Amino acid sequence: MSNRSQSSERTRASAPAERATIGLVAKTAGVSRATVSRVMNGNPRVAPELAQRVRLAAEELGYAPSPVARSLALGRTGIIAMLVPDLGNPMFQGVLHGLTDAAAKENYRLLVADSNENLHEEPVLATEARRRCDGLVLCAPRMPDEQLLELTPQLEPFVLINRELPETSTPSLTIDFAAGIRDLVTHLLSLGHRRLAYLAGPDTSASNRARVRALHKAAQDTFELVEVACGATFADGHAVADQLTDLNVTAVVAYNDLVAFGTLSRLHELGINVPSQMSIVGFDDIPFVRYTTPPLTTASVPMDQLGPQAWQRLWALMNGEAPEKNVRVRPRLEVRGSTGPAPR
Amino acid sequence: MSNRSQSSERTRASAPAERATIGLVAKTAGVSRATVSRVMNGNPRVAPELAQRVRLAAEELGYAPSPVARSLALGRTGIIAMLVPDLGNPMFQGVLHGLTDAAAKENYRLLVADSNENLHEEPVLATEARRRCDGLVLCAPRMPDEQLLELTPQLEPFVLINRELPETSTPSLTIDFAAGIRDLVTHLLSLGHRRLAYLAGPDTSASNRARVRALHKAAQDTFELVEVACGATFADGHAVADQLTDLNVTAVVAYNDLVAFGTLSRLHELGINVPSQMSIVGFDDIPFVRYTTPPLTTASVPMDQLGPQAWQRLWALMNGEAPEKNVRVRPRLEVRGSTGPAPR
DNA sequence: TTGTATGCGTTATCAC
DNA sequence: GTGATAACGCATACAA
């Protein structure tokens, strides 16, 4: 092991930069390693004079405890990880910030991993990330229930966001997509729309399936529904818009705001006016859709709450407590300029 | 130490779930820990029969080597970290993806930390992240040169993106902001604009300072320049747009695309037509500004290259080699619909 | 080829 | 209060 002495003999411009260890500090300060450890951890019952000597030596040697060794000895890392399918989605960025801040208050740091919508990488990333830290937040994992269920023992403690896992005690934070969709549809129906297109998200997305279910349920006898394969990004929404003209629909329900925004842009390019010729609604209420032209009607998800709530539950789990299994937050209908009366 | 037996006696719904260690696997398979280690690491010179026994035991016990212990023993973690001031910026997301993929090819994983434009957190995050992994990529760090210089020994090996550090051998990848700004300004001048506003980014941003310098240099006798404090986000750009009307300018140079986009939106709300009444340019060419209305004229930064390039240099550093100090990529002027002839 | 012994850097137990 | 010393879980010279 430890061929670091070798590697430092290779061609390199910079200094060797061997890090000081607790042992070196101890020797330098003329105390035991135990004492150094105590001082570094702010243990009060060490003689002030010794403490000072230790601090001096540490400062001089540029010593800082190795987090890796510390983690091994402690059996905990002080880190939690969050796995998302797409960091480009502002929705997840909102969760990220909330989680970072909440965890920081308990002196925990957040590690972020992005599976980039890659289904195969997801379980690997999740498992690996989990083993390097003390807990996990899984945001909208794409893998199927069975796989997630199978991985559960290795991933615990973890919290789910945007998805539930039946038959387990895994806490989850979900959006009431059905309610959100109902509100959006009701709004569109009240405007006279009777034939809607749904721009579907990734078929690996559980929340997409939830939306589809809610739409079909609502459609019963009240309106026609056309489902169009799309995706989750701005580019996806932009690309799909051309198909819309042939569908004979007067309103579009997009998988999320990003898609809605993309579609909005393309429709504008095509000279199709929103909302007079076509209404469009999104989902999430990400920060800037209130500024699009026209501003986007959407189902507003209270993103700020997700991060802190996730932390609270994860923290409970890490302390051996059992938080409530599932909390479902209900989106609020945000009517803006992208919806209007059905044409004709 | 190790009071884990205590904690597992607390109130908890799930199973104890003590992880199997190499020792347990060894005992179960009836071999030494060394042999287990060899098998787990794919060492070929173990008797097939033994190897099989080990694999069986490992499988049965759900054993996987502890990354923490492994890191300690090996002196390396197989992880690199990337620190960004704002993950919401698509520019950094581009770097992130490129870096993730490039590092993955060498079996390295990427850890992301977001300082959220918090100047004080930045050095702490950087130092802490670095100590938990083998190398660092610092994206547009906001801390002053002196501080970065002071931290250098603790952060090495690391690579800078969007910023240089004089008097060191730290490799950096920078954008030729001056050239980009020159191209944009030349374009605007050719359209007859003679009085421009610059929407300034965070004053902690080195690249903002570079843009300002380039602008002032270009301004000499050729046009008037009004500098307006703004920021780096869509919301910042949106908020600042109201001031523009009183400035008597015909064109706006935004700190980046996000700001430009925000301004674009607000101008539209205000009924100010772009580009007939006001021209506007951004910087970066983030994915969707080609779809805004009108599409944004901008200086296109080859984002895809940044991640892989950063990895290549970091990899070299980690192997004791010394890559070239600084590589400056030149943005390409991308003329789209947001710029037009100066009014009157 | 396999096992033994030791080290990685830290914390914690237990004597002093 | 302080210092030996044994963990933590793994990898690797070295010996067998």
Side-chain angles (χ1 to χ4, degrees):
Chain A
M1 65 133 347
S2 182
N3 52 355
R4 266 168 297 178
S5 49
Q6 281 180 29
S7 77
S8 64
E9 284 166 11
R10 300 193 53 167
T11 327
R12 53 186 302 173
S14 48
E18 291 290 329
R19 285 212 66 94
T21 70
I22 196 175
L24 184 56
V25 176
K27 199 167 65 181
T28 307
V31 300
S32 74
R33 295 181 315 198
T35 298
V36 176
S37 176
R38 292 189 184 101
V39 173
M40 296 309 290
N41 292 316
N43 189 323
R45 45 188 188 189
V46 31
E49 188 220 357
L50 277 198
Q52 190 53 27
R53 266 204 341 246
V54 169
R55 268 188 285 270
L56 230 66
E59 167 76 18
E60 182 180 330
L61 297 169
Y63 168 76
S66 151
V68 175
R70 209 155 184 283
S71 298
L72 184 59
L74 250 32
R76 47 168 236 108
T77 65
I79 291 186
I80 60 167
M82 162 173 167
L83 180 62
V84 301
D86 173 23
L87 258 181
N89 191 328
M91 165 78 181
F92 297 134
Q93 294 173 21
V95 178
L96 186 145
H97 278 146
L99 195 56
T100 304
D101 293 347
K105 284 176 189 151
E106 228 78 47
N107 258 324
Y108 266 74
R109 302 254 172 237
L110 180 64
L111 175 159
V112 189
D114 184 352
S115 75
N116 199 17
E117 296 283 3
N118 187 328
L119 195 54
H120 296 305
E121 282 296 312
E122 206 175 47
V124 182
L125 283 176
T127 309
E128 210 161 296
R130 170 60 186 87
R131 296 234 51 199
R132 296 189 174 279
C133 65
D134 305 333
L136 212 53
V137 174
L138 253 41
C139 277
R142 306 306 198 198
M143 67 183 105
D145 270 11
E146 311 84 62
Q147 191 170 17
L148 189 50
L149 208 54
E150 192 176 332
L151 254 59
T152 293
Q154 314 179 34
L155 298 185
E156 280 176 328
F158 73 105
V159 173
L160 284 167
I161 290 188
N162 240 353
R163 164 143 176 203
E164 296 179 58
L165 192 55
E167 305 169 35
T168 67
S169 59
T170 302
S172 51
L173 256 49
T174 58
I175 317 301
D176 193 337
F177 295 110
I181 289 289
R182 268 200 309 275
D183 290 347
L184 290 167
V185 166
T186 302
H187 169 63
L188 289 173
L189 291 180
S190 77
L191 290 169
H193 298 275
R194 289 297 177 269
R195 186 171 160 84
L196 317 181
Y198 173 61
L199 307 184
D203 50 0
T204 49
S205 158
S207 74
N208 178 61
R209 292 191 289 274
R211 288 167 169 87
V212 170
R213 271 196 304 276
L215 277 169
H216 278 112
K217 194 167 174 184
Q220 313 259 69
D221 304 321
T222 55
F223 64 91
E224 295 175 77
L225 180 65
V226 187
E227 199 175 326
V228 186
C230 181
T233 67
F234 182 96
D236 292 329
H238 191 269
V240 87
D242 293 278
Q243 304 175 36
L244 254 31
T245 50
D246 301 331
L247 261 39
N248 203 28
V249 299
T250 61
V252 176
V253 178
Y255 169 65
N256 66 14
D257 284 349
L258 239 33
V259 168
F261 191 16
T263 302
L264 201 60
S265 281
R266 181 61 183 151
L267 289 179
H268 181 92
E269 291 172 27
L270 294 172
I272 299 176
N273 184 272
V274 174
S276 70
Q277 295 175 271
M278 183 85 78
S279 283
I280 178 161
V281 301
F283 210 111
D284 286 347
D285 197 19
I286 60 179
F288 60 60
V289 290
R290 65 186 319 148
Y291 301 120
T292 55
T293 47
L296 193 68
T297 294
T298 190
S300 180
V301 174
M303 254 175 291
D304 317 342
Q305 301 173 23
L306 260 32
Q309 293 251 5
W311 168 252
Q312 180 193 321
R313 279 161 185 72
L314 187 54
W315 179 241
L317 279 182
M318 295 196 302
N319 289 314
E321 299 156 20
E324 44 194 335
K325 171 154 173 48
N326 185 37
V327 177
R328 192 179 302 255
V329 309
R330 190 192 164 110
R332 184 174 38 79
L333 176 66
E334 195 71 43
V335 177
R336 298 203 265 252
S338 67
T339 45
R344 274 216 296 147
Chain B
M1 63 134 351
S2 183
N3 53 354
R4 266 168 295 177
S5 49
Q6 282 179 29
S7 74
S8 64
E9 284 166 13
R10 302 192 54 167
T11 328
R12 53 185 303 176
S14 49
E18 292 290 330
R19 286 210 65 94
T21 70
I22 197 175
L24 183 56
V25 176
K27 199 166 66 181
T28 306
V31 300
S32 74
R33 298 183 313 197
T35 298
V36 176
S37 176
R38 294 189 184 102
V39 173
M40 297 309 291
N41 292 317
N43 189 323
R45 43 190 190 189
V46 274
E49 188 220 357
L50 278 198
Q52 190 54 26
R53 265 199 349 241
V54 169
R55 268 189 283 270
L56 229 66
E59 168 75 17
E60 182 181 331
L61 297 170
Y63 168 76
S66 152
V68 175
R70 210 153 184 287
S71 298
L72 184 59
L74 285 170
R76 47 169 235 109
T77 65
I79 290 186
I80 61 167
M82 159 172 169
L83 180 62
V84 300
D86 173 21
L87 257 181
N89 190 328
M91 164 79 180
F92 297 135
Q93 294 171 22
V95 178
L96 186 144
H97 279 145
L99 195 55
T100 304
D101 293 347
K105 284 175 189 151
E106 228 78 47
N107 258 323
Y108 266 75
R109 301 256 172 235
L110 180 64
L111 174 160
V112 188
D114 184 354
S115 74
N116 200 16
E117 295 284 1
N118 187 329
L119 195 54
H120 296 304
E121 283 296 313
E122 205 176 46
V124 183
L125 283 176
T127 309
E128 211 161 294
R130 170 60 186 88
R131 296 237 48 200
R132 296 188 174 281
C133 65
D134 305 333
L136 211 54
V137 175
L138 253 40
C139 277
R142 306 307 198 197
M143 68 183 105
D145 269 12
E146 311 84 62
Q147 192 171 16
L148 190 51
L149 210 53
E150 193 175 333
L151 253 55
T152 293
Q154 314 178 36
L155 297 184
E156 279 175 331
F158 73 105
V159 174
L160 284 168
I161 290 188
N162 240 353
R163 167 148 176 198
E164 297 179 56
L165 191 54
E167 304 169 37
T168 68
S169 59
T170 303
S172 52
L173 256 50
T174 58
I175 317 301
D176 193 338
F177 295 110
I181 289 289
R182 267 200 310 274
D183 289 347
L184 289 168
V185 166
T186 302
H187 170 62
L188 290 173
L189 291 179
S190 77
L191 290 168
H193 298 275
R194 288 297 176 269
R195 186 171 159 83
L196 317 181
Y198 174 61
L199 307 184
D203 50 0
T204 48
S205 158
S207 73
N208 179 60
R209 291 191 289 275
R211 288 167 171 86
V212 170
R213 270 197 305 276
L215 276 168
H216 278 111
K217 194 167 175 185
Q220 313 258 70
D221 304 322
T222 56
F223 64 90
E224 295 176 78
L225 180 66
V226 188
E227 198 174 326
V228 186
C230 181
T233 67
F234 182 97
D236 292 329
H238 191 268
V240 87
D242 293 278
Q243 304 175 36
L244 254 32
T245 50
D246 301 331
L247 261 38
N248 202 30
V249 300
T250 61
V252 176
V253 178
Y255 168 65
N256 65 15
D257 283 350
L258 239 34
V259 168
F261 190 16
T263 302
L264 201 61
S265 280
R266 181 61 183 151
L267 289 179
H268 182 93
E269 289 172 29
L270 295 173
I272 300 176
N273 185 274
V274 174
S276 71
Q277 295 176 272
M278 183 86 79
S279 283
I280 178 162
V281 302
F283 209 111
D284 285 348
D285 197 20
I286 60 178
F288 60 61
V289 291
R290 64 187 318 149
Y291 301 121
T292 55
T293 46
L296 193 68
T297 294
T298 190
S300 181
V301 173
M303 254 174 290
D304 317 342
Q305 301 173 22
L306 259 33
Q309 293 252 4
W311 168 252
Q312 180 194 319
R313 279 160 185 72
L314 188 54
W315 179 242
L317 279 183
M318 296 196 301
N319 289 316
E321 300 156 18
E324 43 194 336
K325 171 153 174 48
N326 185 38
V327 177
R328 192 179 304 257
V329 309
R330 189 191 165 113
R332 184 173 39 79
L333 176 66
E334 194 71 40
V335 177
R336 302 206 183 98
S338 68
T339 45
R344 275 213 298 141

